[in-house]
Amino acid sequence: MAYTTSPESLKGRKKRYVLTDAIPLADTLYKKFREFFPTKSYKKETLAAHGCLQGQCSHGDAKSSKPVIAFPMGADGHSYHCVNYTEYPEEPRFLTASSDPKHSSELGLLGLKPFNSSAKTAFLTEGIWDMLTMYENGYHVLGLPGVNNLQPEWCDIFKDKAVYVLFDNDKPGHDYALKHSKLLVQHAAAVYVLRLPPSVPYKNKDHSIKDVSDLFALDTKFAEEFLKGLAAAAELVVVDPEQMIADIVASRGNNIQKSIAVTG
């Protein structure tokens, strides 16, 4: 059967997509994953640290024909971001681990399981691949399930931290990095938006850069030094309280009371 890829359908009550037969990631599926994604050669220890599982995607009595790799997402322990090594053809990206209505699939941050909550800095990436790349290279990092999806209830984890927002090098990445920074500054100690250049010179050649994984694919040491330079040059994101109120009013309609207290 053809499964929908819309996260909204997972929140409905008519259709529920469930992760079943879940077990720790086996060597055979890990090898297939490495073969299909040769540029995403994460160590198996990295996937295990994130609580990665393998299982089946089911809807009612129907099961997927191929196993999915499932990454825990959010803090509820029941939601997963799924990757199918066969080109994501049929299975939805987001699943719940139970058909119990109380465990409906609610999206959340990626990378919570190994995240060091006591760290004073944190990177926030767009999606799972950049999150895994940053983690494997020693950074404290969390990932969004989609560039447009950051919820206020997810942001307490950034309290007292300096947050570096590092999204894809495209218009949605640029736009949402600035948009989400307005929410993050209400929780974090400081917020910086890091914008990657369209290309970087490396070994006498310009290389196009669409995300931070492209940067690390060139050379790890080079990428680390490059990120240090970006972070040092980044400007602190400061949101004007009056403008924040105006944005809230605009997003919720003109009937909202304007007596909103914003404390810095």
Side-chain angles (χ1 to χ4, degrees):
M1 65 181 294
Y3 293 104
T4 178
T5 58
S6 170
E8 287 305 313
S9 67
L10 304 179
K11 296 181 181 180
R13 293 294 177 262
K14 293 183 179 180
K15 292 184 179 180
R16 190 174 302 282
Y17 298 92
V18 180
L19 177 69
T20 62
D21 306 324
I23 60 173
L25 184 63
D27 287 341
T28 52
L29 186 58
Y30 173 67
K31 289 177 181 178
K32 289 182 179 180
F33 171 80
R34 288 283 299 267
E35 290 170 2
F36 196 81
F37 298 107
T39 62
K40 298 175 172 56
S41 301
Y42 307 109
K43 298 174 184 176
K44 191 177 180 185
E45 292 79 8
T46 296
L47 306 187
H50 286 80
C52 180
L53 302 171
Q54 72 176 62
Q56 298 288 332
C57 169
S58 70
H59 173 226
D61 295 328
K63 284 189 177 181
S64 59
S65 58
K66 301 289 184 182
V68 295
I69 298 177
F71 294 86
M73 179 176 57
D76 65 3
H78 300 287
S79 303
Y80 292 87
H81 181 292
C82 291
V83 174
N84 188 315
Y85 68 89
T86 56
E87 298 183 281
Y88 322 91
E90 295 177 346
E91 289 78 4
R93 288 173 57 199
F94 305 109
L95 302 176
T96 178
S98 170
S99 58
D100 188 328
K102 293 184 294 185
H103 296 160
S104 61
S105 183
E106 297 292 342
L107 306 188
L109 292 170
L110 294 154
L112 282 174
K113 183 177 175 63
F115 184 72
N116 182 0
S117 58
S118 64
K120 293 302 181 183
T121 62
F123 282 79
L124 181 64
T125 67
E126 174 186 341
I128 195 166
W129 303 127
D130 290 344
M131 183 271 291
L132 291 174
T133 294
M134 296 290 286
Y135 172 86
E136 197 157 83
N137 284 282
Y139 293 87
H140 303 295
V141 59
L142 293 168
L144 295 185
V147 68
N148 64 336
N149 198 347
L150 177 64
Q151 303 301 319
E153 59 267 26
W154 303 350
C155 295
D156 285 345
I157 197 168
F158 298 114
K159 184 180 179 181
D160 298 328
K161 293 178 175 33
V163 179
Y164 293 87
V165 181
L166 185 56
F167 290 173
D168 287 358
N169 194 14
D170 53 22
K171 190 176 187 306
H174 297 164
D175 291 349
Y176 277 103
L178 293 174
K179 179 178 179 180
H180 292 330
S181 70
K182 295 182 180 181
L183 174 58
L184 289 167
V185 294
Q186 300 174 57
H187 300 265
V191 178
Y192 303 86
V193 174
L194 304 187
R195 182 175 291 191
L196 295 165
S199 64
V200 298
Y202 178 71
K203 291 187 176 180
N204 300 318
K205 183 180 178 181
D206 283 341
H207 298 264
S208 62
I209 300 295
K210 71 177 185 302
D211 54 36
V212 71
S213 294
D214 285 345
L215 194 61
F216 275 94
L218 294 177
D219 180 84
T220 299
K221 293 292 185 183
F222 173 81
E224 289 174 350
E225 291 302 315
F226 197 92
L227 284 181
K228 283 182 183 178
L230 280 183
E235 293 186 5
L236 181 71
V237 174
V238 178
V239 177
D240 175 34
E242 292 299 323
Q243 183 60 47
M244 188 185 296
I245 292 173
D247 289 344
I248 294 172
V249 171
S251 66
R252 297 185 182 178
N254 294 325
N255 293 328
I256 189 171
Q257 294 293 323
K258 294 188 178 183
S259 56
I260 304 172
V262 179
T263 58

